Amino acid sequence: MVVPPPRTLLASLGFAAAAALLLPLPWLTAPRAPVVLVGTGPATRGEAAGQAGWELAGPVTTTLLVALVVAAAVLLAVRRSGAARVVLVLAGATGVAVGAGVLVGRGASLPAAAAAVCGAAAAVLAALGLPAILAVALLAAVVPVLPGGPVNRAAPDTAAPDTGGAAGPFVRVARLDAAAAVAVVVDGRAGVVTAGGLTVLDAAGNAEVLATTPDGPPERASIIGAAGGRVVRWSAADAVTVTGLDERDPVAVTVHGVSAASPLGADGTLWVRATSDPPGTARLLDLAQRDGEQTADATYLPVFAIHGPTASAAVDVATLLPVGTGAIRAVPQEAGQRLERLSGDASGHTTVTLLAGGLDATCGLTRSGPASFLPQPGPLAADGEGGVWFVTGPAPDGRLARLGPDGELRVVAAPLPGVASSMVVTPDGEPVLTLADAAGPALWRLPDPAAALTDLPAPAPGCAAPLAPLAPPVALVPVSRTGRDRLGIPLGADGRWASAGPGGEIAVVAPGGARTPVGVRADGGAGPVWPDGSGGVWWVEAPGTPVHGTAAGTDRFPQLRQDGSELVPDLGGRPPLLVTATGAFRVGSRSPLPVVGGRVAGGVVRADGRGWLLADGGLIALDGDHMLGAVIDPGDRRADTTPVAVQLAKGVAPAALALPRATVALDGAGRAVVVADDVVLAVRDDGSVSVVAQDRRLAALPVFAAEGGLVAHDRGDLLRVDLPR
């Protein structure tokens, strides 16, 4: 074998070193410069993202090439020409494979990559021999698929193409650097929104940065969504701004006074709630309807909904996905969740249609959406044919499901390859999801959804779904507003409520706003308080000291040496009962004997001394400190957590219901009422029990036994609960 002279090896070393020195230079520049979204002004042109050769090659290949060049230089310095020749061939082959892999993988002519290929090829040719030819062939096949190799990298800090991953019918599109990424579709291309901006992927999985948000909050994405060449984002804590995705678009529309916003609909519609709006209000912001630079208050936007639905929970725009002229949402309920479609009329009234999700867990998944039980739906998405995609439950048992416009539910038999956090559907009907698995977050798609979906069985004969209404709804009448007070507990049906001030101060706030201090908590906290029936309040301080506060001052009672922090309000002005895991004890009694034994979950005592306690899954009646007996007795079903409406639908009598989630209070006439899930039971003094109301809103709102009636708390608003006559 002919050994090249040392000066030829020096030339080979120079060519290989040149290829290595090209790695820090930009090898790839994005085809377009992203726009920069800062403040409330129009989008400005940024610099096109570029990637150095070492970023495209990856750390393993880069280290290998540099190490081979250094090793060759050392071997030449110690006059080991034969070994140096082999190492130089390997270095040149590595450089060729790196550059060629980038050129082929990117499908473009990249000058720096081409120069690296030429330099590396020259290094090989300068020390050419038969073993070198074999090394070139071997490394050219191996290097592109090394970890972080040229076909596996994209723009830094966005998404790394990874089309080789698959799990059943799902295909991994890209690995994500940001765990909080949200899937989006822009101009038919799938992408993600992160704290750094908006990135989309082409058919080959290469990332293109469309917009950057350098002044956005680091903990979350400021961009809400993009549609029709425009993007909407949070520009302040209470303001959203609409700008273009092209620096030539001069639009900069800022809406102030926004307290909440929905995801952006595919039609470019955003639902928002103004800071001064009452609960349940939803206003519409259409990204395409405004041009130029404008500033407006959210209250000037058109109203979609202002009168909340009576058959479901109040409208919360943050939970809605705009679809066409309405929206869809997932709403928690007593058991599992339900999917609903919201529509409105010109007067602002909201109509709710149940799409899927019953209360009976024994139904499972069926072909009927309303009859199916959904333990925990994940992110929602809508396709162009009117179908709704969602995740049926938590990992690892969750399935991707589609509810057709005809109400038929179908699922993908294979489980999702991770925990879903967001989902969109491309114009051609492919779901795209952000999923987190053991290897980290990634962007996945379902390439052939029609083939992946399978049919479900019909509802079983014992399935109690859907449920017919049992009684008329209640009326929720606003009586006061607590705003952001950290206590905000209602005390009276007239609108009085308890407020927590600085230093542990407790005050009673009148409907007109007058504030009357009634004491200071020694523990400085803002725990629950209860009305005393005569304008004052009770609370329990750690480690369990009952305190009575009035305008005249506070009285602290001896600790009963029982582990309890909940009280049963006595609206007759007497000391209340302390609720514990072993019974209810009278505050102020000298001997801590329980008035009622067993697990007590709450109750109320009327001014005449008649009381009712929730105990061991049922309801018992009291007269003073004497127990009269069980009023609602579930018997051996005390631990039954089945929703009350399902129990009634399956034939359980009102007096035999299990009450896993309930509040007992008094109505305006002093009659005892039990709010159990969404059902209201009336309890008469003779012990008879009947269903008097049913309202889905009650299952989502905390309700309180107040002086003069029942009061619900809805995100800073106090609502008197009026029962139907």
Side-chain angles (χ1 to χ4, degrees):
M1 181 181 298
V2 178
V3 179
R7 58 185 178 182
T8 307
L9 292 180
L10 289 174
S12 177
L13 177 62
F15 288 129
L21 291 173
L22 287 171
L23 289 174
L25 298 180
W27 280 27
L28 175 65
T29 302
R32 57 171 282 184
V35 296
V36 180
L37 307 178
V38 179
T40 58
T44 59
R45 181 181 177 85
E47 294 185 3
Q51 291 178 269
W54 69 267
E55 293 177 304
L56 294 170
V60 174
T61 306
T62 299
T63 303
L64 176 62
L65 178 56
V66 174
L68 289 172
V69 172
V70 172
V74 172
L75 291 171
L76 285 176
V78 298
R79 302 185 182 277
R80 298 284 299 274
S81 299
R85 178 183 64 81
V86 175
V87 174
L88 284 170
V89 170
L90 294 175
T94 303
V96 170
V98 169
V102 172
L103 291 173
V104 174
R106 295 297 180 174
S109 177
L110 307 176
V117 170
C118 293
V124 173
L125 293 174
L128 187 61
L130 183 59
I133 296 174
L134 295 177
V136 170
L138 177 62
L139 286 176
V142 172
V143 169
V145 296
L146 286 174
V151 299
N152 295 332
R153 284 295 296 165
D157 301 325
T158 53
D162 189 0
T163 56
F170 299 96
V171 175
R172 189 169 57 236
V173 178
R175 285 293 181 189
L176 303 175
D177 291 335
V182 177
V184 294
V185 172
V186 181
D187 297 332
R189 293 190 291 172
V192 291
V193 168
T194 66
L198 170 63
T199 303
V200 294
L201 303 173
D202 61 20
N206 298 320
E208 180 183 354
V209 180
L210 299 184
T212 62
T213 52
D215 66 342
E219 68 279 1
R220 65 177 177 89
S222 59
I223 293 178
I224 300 173
R230 291 185 173 178
V231 62
V232 60
R233 61 189 172 87
W234 289 101
S235 55
D238 62 348
V240 296
T241 297
V242 179
T243 54
L245 281 173
D246 190 320
E247 70 274 7
R248 293 169 295 184
D249 187 349
V251 66
V253 176
T254 299
V255 180
H256 294 282
V258 177
S259 62
S262 73
L264 184 66
D267 60 350
T269 300
L270 185 73
W271 290 30
V272 303
R273 178 189 176 191
T275 304
S276 58
D277 282 338
T281 304
R283 299 177 181 271
L284 304 182
L285 174 61
D286 191 333
L287 271 60
Q289 284 188 348
R290 297 172 182 266
D291 295 297
E293 295 192 36
Q294 301 181 33
T295 300
D297 190 88
T299 54
Y300 287 95
L301 296 177
V303 172
F304 173 87
I306 194 168
H307 302 292
T310 58
S312 184
V315 175
D316 180 2
V317 296
T319 66
L320 304 180
L321 176 63
V323 176
T325 58
I328 56 177
R329 67 176 180 177
V331 182
Q333 54 187 5
E334 304 91 288
Q337 298 199 11
R338 63 185 183 275
L339 299 182
E340 299 177 336
R341 183 183 302 277
L342 275 62
S343 56
D345 57 24
S347 63
H349 287 84
T350 304
T351 300
V352 173
T353 302
L354 175 66
L355 298 179
L359 288 170
D360 190 355
T362 64
C363 296
L365 289 177
T366 76
R367 69 180 58 170
S368 169
S372 295
F373 179 76
L374 306 177
Q376 183 183 324
L380 302 176
D383 58 33
E385 299 179 353
V388 179
W389 291 83
F390 60 93
V391 179
T392 61
D397 300 323
R399 298 292 189 272
L400 184 61
R402 181 182 186 269
L403 184 70
D406 58 354
E408 183 173 354
L409 185 64
R410 305 178 72 205
V411 300
V412 177
L416 285 168
V419 180
S421 57
S422 68
M423 175 169 52
V424 291
V425 179
T426 63
D428 57 1
E430 291 188 0
V432 178
L433 306 96
T434 54
L435 299 171
D437 58 16
L443 195 66
W444 293 74
R445 68 185 181 96
L446 182 63
D448 192 356
L453 290 169
T454 59
D455 295 331
L456 290 168
C463 172
L467 300 175
L470 299 169
V474 303
L476 298 179
V477 182
V479 292
S480 196
R481 179 165 178 78
T482 65
R484 297 183 178 180
D485 190 279
R486 61 193 182 113
L487 187 56
I489 291 179
L491 299 176
D494 59 354
R496 287 178 294 116
W497 54 281
S499 170
E505 179 197 69
I506 304 297
V508 174
V509 182
R515 187 181 182 92
T516 303
V518 293
V520 176
R521 294 185 64 118
D523 56 9
V529 300
W530 294 266
D532 67 354
S534 56
V537 297
W538 286 85
W539 67 82
V540 180
E541 295 177 355
T545 301
V547 181
H548 185 210
T550 66
T554 57
D555 291 322
R556 284 175 166 77
F557 287 73
Q559 182 182 356
L560 292 179
R561 298 180 182 177
Q562 302 295 327
D563 184 13
S565 60
E566 298 288 323
L567 298 175
V568 172
D570 190 321
L571 302 182
R574 295 171 293 271
L577 297 175
L578 178 72
V579 174
T580 75
T582 58
F585 299 80
R586 178 69 65 183
V587 170
S589 61
R590 294 184 178 181
S591 58
L593 297 177
V595 175
V596 175
R599 180 176 55 89
V600 179
V604 66
V605 178
R606 200 166 55 191
D608 63 0
R610 177 68 66 91
W612 294 264
L613 298 180
L614 295 166
D616 292 329
L619 184 73
I620 62 175
L622 295 176
D623 189 0
D625 287 347
H626 303 286
M627 186 174 70
L628 300 178
V631 178
I632 299 177
D633 186 1
D636 57 1
R637 296 185 303 104
R638 297 183 184 279
D640 190 353
T641 60
T642 302
V644 168
V646 175
Q647 295 182 56
L648 292 168
K650 292 189 174 183
V652 178
L657 290 169
L659 304 175
R661 298 162 295 272
T663 300
V664 60
L666 304 174
D667 65 8
R671 179 182 55 175
V673 292
V674 177
V675 181
D677 297 332
D678 64 336
V679 176
V680 182
L681 306 169
V683 181
R684 294 177 176 82
D685 287 356
D686 62 5
S688 61
V689 183
S690 61
V691 177
V692 294
Q694 184 178 23
D695 197 311
R696 297 299 313 162
R697 296 172 294 178
L698 294 178
L701 298 176
V703 283
F704 297 84
E707 298 175 17
L710 184 66
V711 180
H713 190 284
D714 184 12
R715 291 169 296 178
D717 288 271
L718 300 185
L719 311 171
R720 189 182 70 240
V721 180
D722 289 347
L723 301 179
R725 295 184 181 275

